[in-house]
Amino acid sequence: MRSSVQRSPHDTGANPAPAGDSQQNHAELTASHVFHRFPRNAMPVAVAGDGVYVIDRQGKRYLDASSGAAVSCLGHSHPAVIRAIQRQAEQLAFAHTSFFTNEPLEELAALLSASAPPGLDRVYFVSGGSEAVEAALKLARQYQVERGEPQRTRVMSRRQSYHGNTLGALAAGGNRWRRAPFEPLLTQALDVAPCYAYRDRRPDESEEAYGERLACEFEQAIVAAGPETVMCFIAETVCGATLGAVPAVPGYFRRIRDICDRYGILLILDEVMCGMGRTGTLYACEQEGVIPDLLVIAKGLGAGYQPIGAVHAARHVFDAIVGGSGFFQHGHTYSGHALACAAAVAVQKALRDEHLIDNVQRRGPQLMQRLRERFGMHPYVGDIRGRGLLLALEFVAERDARTPFPAEARTAQRIKASALEHGLMCYPAGGVIDGKVGDHAMLAPPFIIEEKHLDEMVDKLAETIDAVFPDAARRR
Ligand SMILES: Cc1ncc(COP(=O)(O)O)c(C=O)c1O
């Protein structure tokens, strides 16, 4: 029987081993007992980190232009974070939160609450982004139950969104390729269009008019479903992996916030990728002028030094639960892990003390300018977009018609493999448009990046793109 799990353009793990290393890597692959993410592929073995570089066992240095998957915002060898982890490990690594609170947990919650949008001053900690989305969805449900509205069961989300790979988070997301094999296990979210101006804004429409059209469609979907049945709406404030660094058009989120309020629907903003300074403010929603009821963070929170995620809950959500049943019916063994929290405290302090979000605001436009200069007229680059240090190039077969490459061209995989060969980590994905076609490559470098690294990044990306599209020079 043929497998229903298809190799997909989204599956950018298809890294042929870098030339020269393949023999050894294949040997390692055969010997490995790890159930790897891409078990058929050889991977270089990462052995060290040095600032914005990852170093493999052969000594090859990779410029980390994507912070892995928008994680390593402080690079790979931040001394203060390393010291904080060492100190905490000597003091207390873990104490189960059903028995104790702990100092780094309290300090982290206080630090985050002090800088979060007003009212979001209770923080629930978990071990990563998917877990944080699960917690947010369960909080939303319990809130509605505690308020005496148990008929509110439906999650609304946007097509081609990504909120994580656990079953609840996957069910909430609209990424068709990731969902497909698991569809029978997933509850059905009510889906609406993403805010994706490059492809969906009509030529005669202003950005504001496009946002308004989406907001009207959003309201119509709620009315059609029965507003009293809708529990929450979840969206990435700036779309990350699936669409590729896509901010909303001006005014869109304010209209969404109003509509959610009108119908008693909780607004969950997923800032797992775009939050924690990545787009130029600690929380991406600060730039949208909205405050969600639940705000989900991860990735940059621990900067890869420890696995950690969190949900900020608005006071009314916290009060409804504490004043109702009295507790949130949830919890994981590693919630509020002392070592993870200590690392995240050190990351937060580094962001603040080293003014790294200022650096995001400075380097983001510098990188954007370099990308536009180098690739703005490239025949296969249709769009260059993003915010802060979350940027992406969308690749097209025909610029004017914005025609995507066929899925069989495996453009995203080829970009990723070629980049690794050139000593560059970027974050390409395929299936951008509908789960099948559409390719982008995202850049999300560490916030400590310097101008010389931007030059190196753009040079290596140009070599990568030249190798993938050798006929581009003729078409210019
Ligand atoms: C927006 C968004 N939400 C949730 C997740 C899931 O996070 P994790 O991989 O830490 O479970 C991701 C991961 O890429 C993400 O980008």
Side-chain angles (χ1 to χ4, degrees):
M1 204 174 80
R2 199 160 172 267
S3 163
S4 62
V5 180
Q6 302 288 322
R7 262 323 251 234
S8 155
H10 198 90
D11 175 359
T12 54
N15 306 325
D21 301 345
S22 57
Q23 285 282 311
Q24 179 163 358
N25 276 324
H26 276 293
E28 280 162 359
L29 195 68
T30 317
S32 177
H33 289 272
V34 178
F35 194 149
H36 279 289
R37 197 181 267 252
F38 304 107
R40 288 190 194 169
N41 296 343
M43 296 274 177
V45 181
V47 294
D50 175 18
V52 297
Y53 296 92
V54 175
I55 302 161
D56 77 9
R57 190 140 68 194
Q58 274 71 41
K60 179 167 170 176
R61 292 168 75 83
Y62 301 82
L63 175 61
D64 187 356
S66 57
S67 302
V71 175
S72 307
C73 57
L74 298 185
H76 296 276
S77 52
H78 196 284
V81 181
I82 294 166
R83 269 199 307 279
I85 293 171
Q86 287 167 339
R87 270 199 307 271
Q88 188 60 43
E90 284 163 12
Q91 186 95 23
L92 173 76
F94 168 74
H96 197 280
T97 47
S98 71
F99 298 91
F100 298 104
T101 185
N102 63 70
E103 287 172 350
L105 168 62
E106 295 293 338
E107 187 177 3
L108 180 60
L111 268 175
L112 289 171
S113 301
S115 30
L120 294 174
D121 55 5
R122 295 288 174 161
V123 197
Y124 189 89
F125 289 97
V126 291
S127 301
S130 302
E131 272 191 15
V133 168
E134 298 284 342
L137 294 170
K138 285 181 77 177
L139 266 171
R141 169 65 186 159
Q142 196 176 326
Y143 168 81
Q144 301 290 11
V145 172
E146 305 268 5
R147 286 172 70 221
E149 300 213 43
Q151 80 289 352
R152 287 190 186 264
T153 56
R154 303 201 71 176
V155 176
M156 277 186 92
S157 63
R158 300 189 295 184
R159 290 188 283 281
Q160 288 302 89
S161 55
Y162 179 56
H163 300 296
N165 263 335
T166 51
L167 288 175
L170 191 63
N175 185 311
R176 288 198 210 160
W177 171 73
R178 288 186 193 257
R179 292 178 63 103
F182 307 103
E183 204 66 67
L185 309 184
L186 305 178
T187 53
Q188 286 310 308
L190 197 60
D191 64 9
V192 290
C195 189
Y196 185 17
Y198 172 64
R199 294 219 165 260
D200 296 344
R201 181 165 69 88
R202 295 175 186 147
D204 61 342
E205 227 172 16
S206 67
E207 289 203 321
E208 288 73 13
Y210 169 54
E212 183 57 32
R213 171 162 64 84
L214 291 181
C216 291
E217 287 171 14
F218 177 70
E219 184 163 11
Q220 281 159 12
I222 292 170
V223 171
E228 70 289 350
T229 67
V230 183
M231 175 178 106
C232 64
F233 173 60
I234 180 165
E236 295 161 79
T237 316
V238 177
C239 299
T242 304
L243 288 187
V246 180
V249 294
Y252 167 83
F253 272 114
R254 277 198 294 278
R255 287 281 286 119
I256 296 292
R257 174 74 273 184
D258 288 348
I259 296 166
C260 286
D261 286 343
R262 188 170 321 142
Y263 294 104
I265 296 167
L266 288 186
L267 175 61
I268 305 177
L269 288 182
D270 178 348
E271 302 202 353
V272 167
M273 185 173 276
C274 63
M276 295 291 97
R278 171 68 48 205
T279 57
T281 42
L282 191 59
Y283 296 86
C285 60
E286 293 171 49
Q287 296 175 65
E288 304 299 334
V290 297
I291 301 177
D293 303 290
L294 294 162
L295 179 49
V296 184
I297 52 176
K299 295 194 186 266
L301 175 59
Y305 288 89
Q306 286 287 299
I308 184 165
V311 186
H312 278 275
R315 210 163 297 152
H316 54 274
V317 176
F318 178 77
D319 289 346
I321 289 171
V322 177
S325 64
F327 89 117
F328 176 32
Q329 198 172 326
H330 193 54
H332 295 286
T333 299
Y334 293 130
S335 306
H337 193 281
L339 199 54
C341 291
V345 166
V347 171
Q348 289 303 306
K349 289 182 176 169
L351 284 188
R352 184 190 64 198
D353 299 345
E354 295 169 32
H355 308 287
L356 290 174
I357 298 184
D358 293 348
N359 213 40
V360 174
Q361 291 173 2
R362 195 167 35 244
R363 300 289 176 234
Q366 288 173 345
L367 178 55
M368 179 63 101
Q369 190 190 342
R370 282 166 170 76
L371 293 174
R372 292 214 160 116
E373 280 165 11
R374 192 71 75 95
F375 306 111
M377 299 307 290
H378 194 284
Y380 296 126
V381 175
D383 193 26
I384 305 174
R385 58 181 175 240
R387 184 176 286 169
L389 281 177
L390 187 66
L391 303 178
L393 293 83
E394 184 167 332
F395 298 99
V396 287
E398 285 293 336
R399 273 172 67 109
D400 292 344
R402 304 182 180 188
T403 316
F405 284 102
E408 308 75 64
R410 301 169 72 248
T411 304
Q413 283 117 315
R414 285 162 54 227
I415 296 274
K416 184 170 178 190
S418 172
L420 275 181
E421 278 185 35
H422 288 93
L424 180 73
M425 292 161 62
C426 62
Y427 192 162
V432 170
I433 298 170
D434 56 2
K436 295 193 181 86
V437 293
D439 301 273
H440 71 70
M442 223 162 49
L443 298 172
F447 304 170
I448 57 169
I449 200 123
E450 297 169 28
E451 269 201 274
K452 64 177 186 205
H453 300 126
L454 298 182
D455 293 330
E456 184 185 337
M457 190 190 306
V458 175
D459 286 345
K460 286 185 164 163
L461 189 61
E463 290 165 15
T464 297
I465 290 176
D466 285 350
V468 172
F469 303 113
D471 65 329
R474 271 188 287 115
R475 297 203 38 177
R476 273 180 219 264

